[in-house]
Amino acid sequence: MIETWRWFGPSDSITLRKIKQAGATGIVTSLHEVATGAVWEKRDIQARKEMIEAEGLTWEVIESIPVHNDIKTRSGDYLQLIENYKLSIKNAAQCGVYTICYNFMPVVDWTRTNLMYQLPNQSHALRFEMTDFAAYDIFILKRDGARDSYSPAVVAKAELAISDMSDEAKLELEKNIIAGLPGGEGSYTRDTIREAIEEFIVLGTEGFRENLFAFLREIIPVAQTHGAKMCIHPDDPPFSLFGLPRVVSTADDARKLLNAAPSPANGLTMCAGSYGARGDNDLVEMVKEFAERVYFVHLRNVTREDDGSFYESDHLDGDNDMVGLVHALLSEEQRRKAQGQSLSLCAIPMRPDHGHLLEDELNQPNVKPGYGYMGRLKGLAELRGVMHAVSNFMRR
């Protein structure tokens, strides 16, 4: 697999040189300065690509070209926005960047309730706490029908939690949930998020799924024509939030999506942490089933709890079988090679995801939640060891 690193562009405090010193050879990035829905111009893509290559690295994956909410709801100027998206795919491919990760999550992108969850070793992880999320939804946002989205046990715990929560803690919780996390598509106020939620809820799960499929029918032929590979990121977390529809959360969702646009350009991002936050997703079996359409991998681990809560554990410790997952991915690379595919098509880009915040970075400014340097460097080193060990075992 190709070892890559998520980079947030020239303003990122983690420089390309630091990334190279971490051992990564590829970069995963986006033109974050381009407004969602606007065309990615060739000159901007090429300039960013040249900046990356000047440090001896390659731009392996675009993560992401964001999908405008009007496309997801098929409202407003969505037809023009789809045309803009097609042109962005074409321009990226013509600049030599072919793998494009994107997501189709409604309203909120990846979501956590606690960005500083302290682990036993005193490092800090990202956490999604179901009780706190329900407390926000029911008692702070006061969404209509919110109580019906949770079990009576969760509602009771949420009521107790909110009664013990200070005003400062309530504001921090709201900030974590709706202010936007790194790589997301922006932020909301309490009023605007209520409006956005209602707009998506009326679609229902199958209506929202059909909007995704309609989008795929437009963009996948363009991607195939230009040699691009679209790889959708799963919902994070992979279950409904705010009563919203979720359509990329399970193996069955992935199956339906791939069948909706049966093209080699229509693929998946295997995010182990996102899919793995559900106990009924068998990641190793998913890789085996969808192997030829897995074009990008996030290797991250989680520890799940019975009520749907989870926190991000060490990369090699948690509920996901990371060794089995790496073995399945390397086996797919071997299969591609045996079929005579070029090396560039055989190798699957991977990146360590959401590292822990370690002591030396604890009080440093501009450290993005989940995206510190040392925690991801630690994760990459651990994953590299697994990949080497599994590769050696497979050669015997």
Side-chain angles (χ1 to χ4, degrees):
M1 285 185 278
I2 303 169
E3 297 178 22
T4 69
W5 189 281
R6 181 77 178 268
W7 181 57
F8 290 94
S11 64
D12 196 333
S13 60
I14 299 170
T15 65
L16 291 170
R17 188 161 300 175
K18 286 184 178 180
I19 293 169
K20 188 172 183 179
Q21 290 172 359
T25 60
I27 293 297
V28 174
T29 194
S30 179
L31 299 182
H32 296 285
E33 66 276 16
V34 177
T36 298
V39 175
W40 281 33
E41 301 292 350
K42 280 186 186 179
R43 64 178 181 274
D44 298 325
I45 300 168
Q46 190 61 39
R48 190 62 50 85
K49 185 168 181 274
E50 289 173 0
M51 183 184 299
I52 291 166
E53 290 174 346
E55 288 292 340
L57 299 162
T58 57
W59 189 354
E60 292 289 342
V61 180
I62 292 171
E63 187 178 357
S64 302
I65 301 180
V67 181
H68 197 283
N69 275 342
D70 285 356
I71 293 176
K72 297 174 186 177
T73 57
R74 293 182 75 80
S75 63
D77 201 17
Y78 76 93
L79 291 174
Q80 183 59 55
L81 290 166
I82 290 174
E83 292 304 312
N84 292 354
Y85 205 98
K86 291 178 186 177
L87 185 53
S88 296
I89 293 170
K90 177 183 175 181
N91 288 346
Q94 289 184 342
C95 289
V97 190
Y98 297 103
T99 303
I100 301 171
C101 175
Y102 67 107
N103 79 68
F104 213 76
M105 289 181 252
V107 185
V108 286
D109 207 296
W110 68 281
T111 304
R112 300 293 183 270
T113 58
N114 187 343
L115 310 184
M116 291 289 288
Y117 177 64
Q118 192 169 71
L119 298 169
N121 68 359
Q122 306 303 302
S123 65
H124 295 82
L126 303 175
R127 177 177 174 83
F128 180 88
E129 169 58 56
M130 184 62 76
T131 297
D132 287 349
F133 189 89
Y136 176 75
D137 192 12
I138 298 168
F139 300 108
I140 300 177
L141 186 62
K142 298 180 181 178
R143 176 176 63 87
D144 288 345
R147 284 178 178 269
D148 297 335
S149 298
Y150 307 94
S151 70
V154 168
V155 172
K157 289 171 66 177
E159 194 159 12
L160 183 61
I162 202 72
S163 67
D164 290 339
M165 205 176 288
S166 67
D167 289 343
E168 182 180 10
K170 290 175 186 177
L171 288 174
E172 183 68 18
L173 178 63
E174 181 164 58
K175 175 185 170 186
N176 292 345
I177 294 173
I178 72 172
L181 293 175
E185 296 176 39
S187 61
Y188 292 92
T189 66
R190 205 175 294 176
D191 289 334
T192 59
I193 199 169
R194 283 195 203 98
E195 294 170 6
I197 287 168
E198 287 304 316
E199 191 175 10
F200 280 91
I201 283 179
V202 297
L203 294 171
T205 297
E206 293 311 313
F208 187 53
R209 193 190 309 275
E210 180 50 40
N211 287 0
L212 169 57
F213 292 172
F215 178 59
L216 293 178
R217 288 192 289 268
E218 291 280 350
I219 67 165
I220 294 302
V222 175
Q224 183 167 338
T225 296
H226 295 282
K229 295 176 290 188
M230 304 301 299
C231 42
I232 194 165
H233 188 286
D235 303 322
D236 185 7
F239 44 78
S240 178
L241 301 178
F242 297 125
L244 291 163
R246 294 292 225 191
V247 294
V248 194
S249 293
T250 66
D252 191 51
D253 289 338
R255 208 171 288 123
K256 289 175 180 176
L257 181 139
L258 295 178
N259 290 336
S263 161
N266 181 25
L268 304 174
T269 294
M270 172 48 67
C271 179
S274 296
Y275 280 123
R278 288 181 68 118
D280 56 351
N281 281 336
D282 186 325
L283 304 189
V284 175
E285 289 304 314
M286 288 177 70
V287 168
K288 290 177 180 177
E289 179 178 354
F290 306 126
E292 64 181 2
R293 307 276 279 279
V294 173
Y295 298 137
F296 182 36
V297 180
H298 293 175
L299 292 180
R300 141 172 98 77
N301 221 326
V302 295
T303 296
R304 299 185 295 267
E305 298 172 14
D306 291 341
D307 66 352
S309 303
F310 60 89
Y311 66 88
E312 307 206 12
S313 56
D314 283 321
H315 284 74
L316 303 186
D317 180 34
D319 290 319
N320 295 331
D321 178 6
M322 197 61 70
V323 175
L325 185 58
V326 167
H327 185 272
L329 291 163
L330 292 175
S331 296
E332 169 57 15
E333 288 187 338
Q334 280 193 345
R335 186 196 66 79
R336 294 179 188 183
K337 186 176 181 180
Q339 281 190 336
Q341 295 186 30
S342 66
L343 182 60
S344 62
L345 294 177
C346 291
I348 301 171
M350 59 73 67
R351 69 173 177 87
D353 199 11
H354 297 184
H356 292 164
L357 183 64
L358 305 184
E359 186 71 22
D360 282 358
E361 291 182 296
L362 187 57
N363 296 310
Q364 288 187 17
N366 304 318
V367 177
K368 294 178 173 61
Y371 289 98
Y373 182 64
M374 297 181 70
R376 283 187 291 165
L377 187 152
K378 176 174 175 278
L380 180 59
E382 291 170 344
L383 293 167
R384 182 183 298 134
V386 170
M387 290 188 291
H388 278 282
V390 173
S391 294
N392 289 337
F393 175 80
M394 291 172 65
R395 283 196 290 267
R396 292 177 183 172

